[in-house]
Amino acid sequence: DDLSGSVTHAVELAGAHITNVVDLNREFPFDDPIKVSQALQSCGIVPPSDSQQAISKLFATVVESVCEGQNPSAKAGLREAGVATFTRSANFTRARLVVLVGGASSPAGNTSGSVDAPLVSALDDVGVRVVACEGSQAVVSYVPAWSKMGIATVDNADSPMGQLALICALNGENARFGVKETADRLIPRALDAR
């Protein structure tokens, strides 16, 4: 929560208009076909019979709610089913950028494969740029998993330099920014060139 707040503040200072702040419930059983079907039904969607298609449809519904904002009943259904909460939401045009905040405090809490991978895939399907970040003190880093997804990452978004790198990444610079061994850059090229 602290990192989400400081990241939100940083991107707003850079001129972004925040349209949604969403907390995905990482304890929701996204691998349980019955729970996934119930969640889709809560959103007014007939679930596909194939469990993988149903999971994909659930993440597509989350993405539609986050990026399009066109279906208020889907947001209510996602909240009711325990999939996600929308703590800040506005009437808006289509979102172009998404910041994914992660990192875990223990290996058991690592949901980068079960939550982040299908979410990033669904965001990619609609052409949204995703930048993922975590704090420098994350016990379990999501950066290795995020890097495999081909998105820009920031491993020190709790610092001013990390927040600056996040802004550069949102503007199109693609790298693994930060201070951990998985980073390939500390200073964005956009700042290096000056």
Side-chain angles (χ1 to χ4, degrees):
D1 288 342
D2 290 343
L3 184 58
S4 294
S6 63
V7 165
T8 298
H9 183 68
V11 296
E12 282 182 322
L13 284 175
H17 174 68
I18 308 292
T19 56
N20 268 302
V21 176
V22 182
D23 182 14
L24 277 176
N25 180 2
R26 293 180 178 270
E27 293 178 10
F28 181 85
F30 288 99
D31 58 349
D32 182 335
I34 294 171
K35 293 288 188 187
V36 168
S37 292
Q38 290 170 344
L40 287 169
Q41 289 169 348
S42 292
C43 296
I45 298 168
V46 176
S49 57
D50 178 77
S51 62
Q52 280 306 112
Q53 288 179 352
I55 291 167
S56 295
K57 183 65 176 172
L58 182 58
F59 279 102
T61 303
V62 170
V63 166
E64 179 184 291
S65 298
V66 169
C67 296
E68 304 291 340
Q70 310 263 336
N71 189 350
S73 63
K75 281 185 180 181
L78 291 167
R79 185 174 38 257
E80 178 185 309
V83 174
T85 55
F86 297 79
T87 56
R88 182 173 170 181
S89 191
N91 293 326
F92 59 92
T93 57
R94 187 178 184 280
R96 298 179 303 110
L97 306 168
V98 169
V99 177
L100 182 60
V101 180
S105 57
S106 73
N110 185 345
T111 59
S112 60
S114 61
V115 176
D116 295 22
L119 179 63
V120 168
S121 177
L123 287 162
D124 189 50
D125 287 346
V126 297
V128 172
R129 177 161 179 78
V130 181
V131 176
C133 67
E134 65 188 18
S136 56
Q137 301 302 314
V139 176
V140 178
S141 176
Y142 284 15
V143 170
W146 288 333
S147 294
K148 291 177 185 170
M149 298 172 207
I151 59 177
T153 62
V154 179
D155 70 24
N156 61 336
D158 50 347
S159 72
M161 181 53 75
Q163 291 171 3
L164 189 56
L166 175 65
I167 301 307
C168 290
L170 286 168
N171 280 306
E173 194 166 332
N174 201 18
R176 292 185 311 268
F177 297 103
V179 295
K180 299 178 185 174
E181 346 178 299
T182 51
D184 54 22
R185 293 194 62 78
L186 173 63
I187 299 172
R189 290 190 195 284
L191 301 178
D192 240 357
R194 294 176 198 253

